[in-house]
Amino acid sequence: MSRGARRVLLLAVLASLYTTAVWFQSRFDIVAKSLPLPSGGDPEIHVGAEDPQGRIFIPPQAEAEERRDNGASPNGVISDAQPKSNIRASAFLHTLTPGDKFWLFCAKQYHTCTCAGTIRWGRGGSGGRWKEYPLAVGGGGQHTLECSVKTLPDILPGDDAKHCECEMIVGDVVYNAITNPGILPLEAEASNNPLIMSSCEYIETLATVHSPESIALWATAEPFCSSTWGSSPAAKLEPGGAISGDRALSISELRTSMLAWVDEGFAPARDTLYDSTHWMQEGFITYFAGPPDGKHAKMVEMLVISVHEFSTRPIVVVHFGMSAPLDWTVAKFPRMVLLHMAPLPANSGRSFNFNKMRAMIVARIRVGVQLDADQFVAPGVDALFARTAEEVTQAYPRPILPSHFADRGPRDLGRYWERYCPGDPTNVNRFCTYQTTRWGHAHPTWTFWALPFLGRWLRFNLRDETLPRRVRDPTKGELGVMTALRITDVPEDEDLLNIGIWEEGGAKQWCKIDQVGVDEFDALLGGMDIDRKCKAGRCGDIISDSRFHPLGVAKAFFTAHHAVDPENETPRYIQKLKDMQAQGTLPPPIMFHQHFYSDGKALSLAFPEATCLV
């Protein structure tokens, strides 16, 4: 069989196995577990139902007894990448032979698992149970289950960690595609590995250069990297004394969260787009997981195409899945760098979207613009880099979010509202005393000065820390009491970024730089009249609120969100933007009160009282 035919076969098998992977804004986890190499020996194997973290790895010959992880090494998390010369995921499977089997995370509860082997439903760890569903004879090579108590027995009532896993077989074509360095033994962290992009040792070594950005990065990463940080004097000064709870990730898992590898095919791009100090000056970043010919990979490709069309800056794509598309190359996308990272442990109960913050930390971008997979950029987007550098500084070391189209408050779900909106909890219209900005959308821009903020709030969640009850100081004009808040009760990256900004007194917010939907661009594509007035489409502003943006929120047509049709709608809009840009008929990118403005200064001249930034 030719090399090309083998690639086609591999893609077909991967696609059939992962077609129905779990997604809500790229939510995906795939997991297995290995232990550190004993001196002079092979790695031990964690056994299924007894693994306290539920990361299951079962060779047929394994004894059914508990072997607890001592936390001394990075957790081996199976993800995938292109085959690399000396970096093969199978390197840690020293005790396995062809035909041996292990389990791979497939779908969270209420989502669908498609598998080419047996599917099991439940969870591992203490008190866990599994129910297996073998592939039927003559089933066509795969089968699908809805992993839900609506269709399957509720074998663990009330347990929200139930999920489906797929049985993998050593030596088959799918197994041979599992090549992500994230599952390698501890020595994979060695800083002399040419494909290592980030590790605890790497980040600490960079800090010896004493540049402000590298010092900020090590301050960000040290709590994830050091087993003694939690008892250090610095930790004692943190809110709540940095005391971790029973849902904290282990130190080995925290260290793994800082690991990243550059795809071997994109190593030349990394060497070109990063400077001699190993930093990228300005760039976009996105993250995703999914089958290489799946919808999310196609959405990311359209995003990368738009960056190459409408920006002069590079984009870093951080991949957490099984296999990135084989046709992504430096020749096709010369301003792209592809990185691979291991996802968070499946049974950790954390959203896939916290990987966004991990990606922002390890990518080492001095001035960055974060984009989700379901976005594309438009002409004028590069203005965000200079504006971000002006706004996110040593004096204001926080990321800036764009205003959300919805003005969220206590009427919405979230335990954190009790902390920021004191008063009668049954009054959903109560005043949010300690909310300092309108709810922001989780598409932040940042500079390296904001990296410690990102690390701090990610750490609060992954270490299961609690913000203590806080009595405000009346001598400073502060009133009331802020209730304690356990940060693992904050379910998503967007919630975490918002409360972090409020907790630290942040007051800056972008105008709507991420349009609610692709069709919002009809107002831009519809052109303007002689008075620069919008002629067609949705010419209105983002809805006002009485406190933060009483005049409404201006639209800045820099990016589109919810670009979920990569086959038709997204390429059509990108082509329209490209055509009008070439013709010189595209209006200026900022619209407020139905008129277009060239930049934030022009908007401020027309409306000095406008409150969002652009």
Side-chain angles (χ1 to χ4, degrees):
M1 182 182 293
S2 69
R3 184 166 177 260
R6 286 196 300 270
R7 285 188 172 187
V8 170
L9 176 59
L10 173 59
L11 279 172
V13 175
L14 284 170
S16 68
L17 181 58
Y18 298 107
T19 298
T20 54
V22 182
W23 292 112
F24 175 71
Q25 291 191 348
S26 304
R27 191 169 298 177
F28 190 154
D29 300 294
I30 347 171
V31 184
K33 179 75 176 176
S34 69
L35 288 175
L37 284 169
S39 178
D42 290 333
E44 295 178 331
I45 301 297
H46 261 290
V47 178
E50 300 299 329
D51 180 355
Q53 299 295 327
R55 291 179 297 274
I56 311 305
F57 189 85
I58 306 182
Q61 71 275 22
E63 299 177 2
E65 61 179 309
E66 181 175 7
R67 300 178 182 177
R68 291 190 177 274
D69 183 4
N70 60 14
S73 74
N75 129 53
V77 181
I78 291 183
S79 181
D80 83 15
Q82 312 278 343
K84 304 295 178 255
S85 53
N86 296 317
I87 299 187
R88 296 201 57 82
S90 56
F92 82 112
L93 304 176
H94 299 298
T95 64
L96 300 185
T97 58
D100 288 347
K101 300 176 181 180
F102 64 96
W103 296 94
L104 192 66
F105 178 86
C106 187
K108 289 187 176 182
Q109 189 171 194
Y110 303 116
H111 296 273
T112 302
C113 171
T114 296
C115 176
T118 296
I119 298 175
R120 68 179 184 180
W121 157 249
R123 71 164 174 84
S126 177
R129 293 179 61 197
W130 294 105
K131 182 173 177 59
E132 295 187 358
Y133 296 86
L135 177 65
V137 176
Q142 64 179 18
H143 61 145
T144 297
L145 282 183
E146 181 184 350
C147 303
S148 167
V149 293
K150 296 178 181 179
T151 56
L152 301 177
D154 191 356
I155 59 176
L156 294 167
D159 192 325
D160 62 3
K162 292 189 291 288
H163 58 278
C164 284
E165 295 183 352
C166 176
E167 186 179 56
M168 303 289 288
I169 302 174
V170 175
D172 72 6
V173 65
V174 178
Y175 163 82
N176 288 333
I178 302 173
T179 55
N180 191 315
I183 58 143
L184 288 175
L186 182 62
E187 57 265 30
E189 289 194 44
S191 58
N192 62 353
N193 185 318
L195 299 184
I196 283 286
M197 184 69 183
S198 173
S199 70
C200 287
E201 289 80 3
Y202 195 106
I203 295 171
E204 187 174 15
T205 300
L206 283 179
T208 62
V209 178
H210 300 298
S211 67
E213 56 268 41
S214 293
I215 292 172
L217 180 59
W218 176 240
T220 303
E222 185 178 9
F224 298 85
C225 296
S226 170
S227 60
T228 60
W229 180 86
S231 58
S232 69
K236 300 308 178 186
L237 297 176
E238 291 287 315
I243 297 172
S244 59
D246 58 11
R247 294 189 63 199
L249 272 63
S250 70
I251 184 60
S252 64
E253 292 165 337
L254 291 172
R255 288 176 62 84
T256 298
S257 72
M258 293 292 105
L259 274 169
W261 292 261
V262 65
D263 185 276
E264 186 174 48
F266 283 85
R270 174 202 57 184
D271 297 340
T272 300
L273 298 172
Y274 282 76
D275 62 25
S276 60
T277 64
H278 309 283
W279 283 80
M280 179 182 287
Q281 181 59 31
E282 296 176 340
F284 301 97
I285 193 164
T286 192
Y287 69 111
F288 85 107
D293 60 347
K295 183 176 180 179
H296 281 76
K298 292 175 181 177
M299 290 192 298
V300 169
E301 179 157 333
M302 291 310 303
L303 169 58
V304 173
I305 288 172
S306 73
V307 167
H308 282 73
E309 288 286 358
F310 302 129
S311 172
T312 62
R313 280 26 173 221
I315 180 169
V316 178
V317 177
V318 186
H319 172 238
F320 292 90
M322 283 291 293
S323 181
L326 294 172
D327 63 346
W328 286 2
T329 64
V330 171
K332 185 175 182 179
F333 298 126
R335 284 188 284 113
M336 169 179 160
V337 177
L338 178 62
L339 305 183
H340 299 288
M341 294 183 75
L344 294 169
N347 276 12
S348 67
R350 269 60 170 204
S351 166
F352 174 84
N353 295 314
F354 286 125
N355 290 316
K356 173 188 296 183
M357 299 170 75
R358 292 174 60 202
M360 293 168 68
I361 291 168
V362 306
R364 297 199 305 278
I365 302 174
R366 290 189 181 94
V367 184
V369 174
Q370 190 277 327
L371 302 165
D372 284 346
D374 62 340
Q375 287 183 260
F376 65 78
V377 305
V381 67
D382 284 351
L384 285 174
F385 292 100
R387 290 293 293 120
T388 297
E390 292 170 355
E391 298 291 347
V392 183
T393 63
Q394 187 174 13
Y396 190 88
R398 306 171 190 91
I400 302 179
L401 308 182
S403 175
H404 203 282
F405 61 83
D407 181 21
R408 292 190 60 192
R411 64 187 176 277
D412 301 298
L413 296 177
R415 295 185 181 179
Y416 40 80
W417 292 114
E418 294 181 16
R419 182 174 178 86
Y420 301 99
C421 312
D424 180 2
T426 65
N427 178 10
V428 297
N429 296 313
R430 66 189 185 274
F431 186 72
C432 294
T433 309
Y434 309 121
Q435 180 181 356
T436 61
T437 64
R438 174 165 158 162
W439 189 266
H441 220 138
H443 301 139
T445 73
W446 81 100
T447 72
F448 68 86
W449 292 113
L451 290 175
F453 173 99
L454 294 170
R456 183 161 52 251
W457 286 92
L458 182 63
R459 186 202 86 218
F460 285 160
N461 188 283
L462 299 188
R463 292 187 78 249
D464 188 18
E465 297 182 29
T466 295
L467 297 180
R469 181 176 181 270
R470 179 178 171 189
V471 180
R472 306 292 290 194
D473 186 351
T475 65
K476 298 179 180 179
E478 302 173 345
L479 298 173
V481 174
M482 300 176 74
T483 59
L485 176 63
R486 187 178 185 178
I487 301 301
T488 51
D489 289 336
V490 180
E492 283 288 346
D493 61 310
E494 185 166 285
D495 308 65
L496 190 62
L497 289 167
N498 275 279
I499 69 163
I501 288 170
W502 302 343
E503 188 76 22
E504 300 193 13
K508 296 183 178 184
Q509 190 165 66
W510 294 121
C511 299
K512 197 63 181 157
I513 60 174
D514 52 339
Q515 296 314 302
V516 177
V518 175
D519 57 356
E520 291 283 343
F521 270 77
D522 289 342
L524 185 72
L525 295 169
M528 63 182 181
D529 64 18
I530 193 171
D531 296 319
R532 291 197 166 196
K533 187 174 182 180
C534 174
K535 296 196 304 182
R538 297 173 179 168
C539 297
D541 306 324
I542 298 297
I543 191 170
S544 64
D545 63 86
S546 61
R547 183 177 178 187
F548 298 110
H549 304 301
L551 291 184
V553 176
K555 295 176 181 177
F557 292 94
F558 291 150
T559 76
H561 189 213
H562 200 61
V564 294
D565 181 5
E567 304 278 5
N568 298 295
E569 185 181 56
T570 298
R572 185 170 69 249
Y573 272 86
I574 289 175
Q575 188 60 50
K576 287 180 180 178
L577 288 166
K578 184 178 177 181
D579 292 344
M580 289 189 68
Q581 183 185 42
Q583 295 162 6
T585 57
L586 200 64
I590 299 166
M591 186 178 71
F592 192 52
H593 288 14
Q594 301 184 26
H595 286 77
F596 289 100
Y597 300 90
S598 58
D599 54 30
K601 292 181 179 179
L603 176 64
S604 295
L605 285 174
F607 295 94
E609 63 276 31
T611 47
C612 60
L613 302 173
V614 69

Coordinates of all heavy atoms in Angstrom, one line a residue, residues 23 121 305 355 444 588:
W23 N -18.8 18.1 21.7 CA -18.4 19.5 21.5 C -19.4 20.5 22.0 O -20.5 20.4 21.8 CB -18.2 19.7 20.0 CG -17.1 19.0 19.5 CD1 -17.1 17.9 18.6 CD2 -15.7 19.1 19.8 NE1 -15.8 17.4 18.4 CE2 -15.0 18.2 19.1 CE3 -15.0 20.0 20.7 CZ2 -13.6 18.1 19.2 CZ3 -13.7 19.9 20.8 CH2 -13.0 18.9 20.1
W121 N -19.7 2.6 29.9 CA -20.4 3.7 30.4 C -20.3 3.7 31.9 O -20.5 2.7 32.5 CB -21.8 3.6 29.9 CG -22.9 4.3 30.8 CD1 -23.8 3.7 31.5 CD2 -23.1 5.7 30.8 NE1 -24.7 4.7 32.1 CE2 -24.2 5.9 31.7 CE3 -22.5 6.9 30.3 CZ2 -24.7 7.2 32.0 CZ3 -23.0 8.1 30.6 CH2 -24.1 8.3 31.4
I305 N -7.1 30.8 7.4 CA -7.1 31.4 6.1 C -7.4 32.9 6.2 O -6.8 33.7 5.5 CB -8.2 30.7 5.2 CG1 -7.7 29.3 4.8 CG2 -8.5 31.5 4.0 CD1 -8.7 28.5 4.1
N355 N -8.5 25.0 28.7 CA -7.3 24.9 27.9 C -7.0 26.2 27.1 O -5.9 26.3 26.7 CB -7.5 23.7 26.9 CG -7.5 22.4 27.6 OD1 -6.7 22.1 28.4 ND2 -8.4 21.5 27.2
P444 N -10.4 37.3 24.9 CA -9.5 38.3 25.5 C -8.4 38.7 24.6 O -7.9 37.9 23.7 CB -9.0 37.7 26.8 CG -9.0 36.2 26.5 CD -10.2 36.0 25.6
P588 N -15.2 51.9 6.8 CA -14.4 51.8 8.0 C -14.9 50.8 9.0 O -16.2 50.5 9.0 CB -14.4 53.2 8.6 CG -14.8 54.1 7.5 CD -15.7 53.3 6.6

